[in-house]
Amino acid sequence: MTERSPGSTAGDLLTLVRTGQAGTRADLVRLSGLSRGAVTARLGALLAAGLLVEGGERTSTGGRPAGALALDPDAAVVLAVAVGRSRSQVGVFDLAGREISSDTRDHEPGIAASELMPDVVARLGRLLEGTTPPVVGVGMSLPGSVDPARGTSVDAPVLKGWDGVDLASYVATLTDAPLHLDNDTAALTRSELFGRVPAAATMLVVKASTGLGMGLVADGRIVGERRGTTGELGHTRVDVAGDLLCRCGATGCLETVAGGWALVGKLQEAGIEARHVRDLVALALDGDPLARNLLREAGRQLGEVLTVAVNLLHPEAVVVGGDMGAAFDLYTAGVRESLYSRAHPGAVRDLRFLPAAHGEAAGLLGCAALAIDAALSPAAVDAHLRTRR
């Protein structure tokens, strides 16, 4: 099979435009290696399909100069669903990843898929009322490991009974758009890259919440993209955890001393009312000494495990998101303390610690980005254009 040149199809040209690599026909000719006539023909198909607009055609492009090309963000919408241990977020987004509407609600920990998913779909349906652009994809995230190909959870300790459940069948009652599933840390990692210049070409993205996970970005790309799992920080064995039983069934995992669920348990043992790691963070930010000590010590324990990754990979930045990331300064003070004392000096000399770029919205935006990236991939765009002939 002959390998095609980069940027040779209409879908490839759209990718060059929407990622900011090309803004004019001349840019596309130069980057793709195609003739001006070939570029014009491919652009004609994209313009006719409403995926691209050219300067002067639409006021929503912000008054771009004549001849300037841009993705039309209003050509379609995607749906996003981020399910956690005790909260679900749903939203509708345009193709630029801008939120049109969203809804966040708490649910009981341990809720069954058969109970939550119909509610999720109903909420999405209400958000879609009055929306005219077509739905081209649904991005969804779950904690734990998932099987993106089958659209099912594989191992989610905080979502008992979800493993193997066909999630696409629920979504199909609302839309025939495909479901794209990934785990929650992967969604957080994707949100750091979508629609912006990444904070660093190589970085570790830590989700510190009920559990602990890590995504890796190397040379501006997600490592292990769409394999349904990310770095299992929380289930790394650490000596300080001894024989403490983890929710995964093993003993001695980092989560037993540094995961949000374990920290909440320590608050409850002290007679303090708390149900979720968000309660812990709120107490810490209000100055509660026990909550502050728990967060900082959890950061220290995380930093010890991160040391190995930093020594091996020499990242430029460590991004911290998730619920504990809301107490960024306090939490990362603990991480820095142990990491800088244990890591090789050369590995941390220029290391930066950064809060997740999109805060509490990061997971939902990551789900939207998952659906957008799939819908606007060169292969998907080319297939769509073939149906219009």
Side-chain angles (χ1 to χ4, degrees):
M1 181 176 178
T2 302
E3 185 176 343
R4 73 184 187 189
S5 301
S8 63
T9 73
D12 290 323
L13 297 189
L14 179 64
T15 295
L16 290 173
V17 172
R18 82 178 188 95
T19 57
Q21 298 175 70
T24 65
R25 293 171 183 253
D27 290 339
L28 292 173
V29 170
R30 174 174 52 83
L31 292 170
S32 69
L34 294 170
S35 68
R36 181 171 292 275
V39 166
T40 297
R42 287 159 173 75
L43 285 182
L46 293 168
L47 290 165
L51 293 171
L52 276 185
V53 291
E54 207 161 8
E57 291 186 9
R58 294 271 304 263
T59 56
S60 65
T61 61
R64 296 174 64 87
L69 297 163
L71 170 74
D72 183 357
D74 302 322
V77 298
V78 298
L79 309 182
V81 181
V83 174
R85 170 181 172 271
S86 61
R87 181 175 63 177
S88 62
Q89 299 171 285
V90 300
V92 181
F93 291 76
D94 68 16
L95 293 183
R98 297 178 302 201
E99 181 184 298
I100 297 172
S101 58
S102 67
D103 178 61
T104 297
R105 299 188 189 181
D106 291 338
H107 57 249
E108 284 299 316
I111 189 171
S114 58
E115 183 177 353
L116 181 61
M117 286 304 297
D119 177 67
V120 161
V121 171
R123 287 155 58 194
L124 284 171
R126 288 191 288 272
L127 293 181
L128 276 173
E129 291 176 1
T131 301
T132 55
V135 177
V136 293
V138 183
M140 182 173 180
S141 70
L142 297 175
S145 300
V146 304
D147 184 337
R150 294 173 55 222
T152 64
S153 170
V154 175
D155 179 21
V158 300
L159 294 174
K160 296 293 186 183
W162 284 62
D163 294 357
V165 174
D166 178 12
L167 300 173
S169 63
Y170 289 100
V171 175
T173 63
L174 177 66
T175 175
D176 58 3
L179 173 69
H180 306 283
L181 183 67
D182 214 333
N183 92 328
D184 54 358
T185 304
L188 170 64
T189 304
R190 185 176 293 275
S191 75
E192 290 295 313
L193 304 182
F194 186 78
R196 63 192 294 267
V197 176
T202 300
M203 56 187 176
L204 308 180
V205 181
V206 174
K207 181 167 186 183
S209 193
T210 300
L212 301 169
M214 186 191 79
L216 172 61
V217 175
D219 297 327
R221 300 178 65 87
I222 300 173
V223 175
E225 186 174 14
R226 300 191 188 184
R227 67 184 177 192
T229 187
T230 47
E232 292 288 0
L233 282 179
H235 301 292
T236 301
R237 306 292 178 85
V238 293
D239 291 342
V240 69
D243 294 327
L244 291 174
L245 181 63
C246 182
R247 57 185 182 157
C248 73
T251 58
C253 294
L254 175 64
E255 274 197 12
T256 63
V257 293
W261 62 271
L263 304 184
V264 169
K266 291 180 180 179
L267 283 179
Q268 293 171 343
E269 290 171 5
I272 298 176
E273 185 175 348
R275 296 188 63 195
H276 191 274
V277 64
R278 294 189 294 274
D279 300 327
L280 165 73
V281 170
L283 287 167
L285 293 177
D286 284 342
D288 181 89
L290 177 57
R292 291 178 68 84
N293 287 338
L294 286 172
L295 270 181
R296 183 149 185 165
E297 180 57 29
R300 291 191 190 99
Q301 298 298 336
L302 175 68
E304 290 191 18
V305 175
L306 275 183
T307 298
V308 177
V310 169
N311 277 345
L312 290 174
L313 301 170
H314 285 227
E316 301 164 66
V318 173
V319 175
V320 179
D323 290 314
M324 285 191 268
F328 178 80
D329 291 337
L330 175 62
Y331 186 66
T332 57
V335 180
R336 294 169 190 262
E337 185 177 328
S338 57
L339 179 60
Y340 281 104
S341 67
R342 293 171 179 270
H344 187 278
V348 296
R349 184 177 296 116
D350 299 316
L351 183 64
R352 294 174 290 153
F353 280 82
L354 304 170
H358 303 285
E360 287 192 355
L364 197 59
L365 175 62
C367 292
L370 177 65
I372 293 169
D373 286 342
L376 297 183
S377 69
V381 170
D382 293 336
H384 173 66
L385 294 179
R386 284 194 294 271
T387 66
R388 293 175 51 84
R389 292 174 183 171

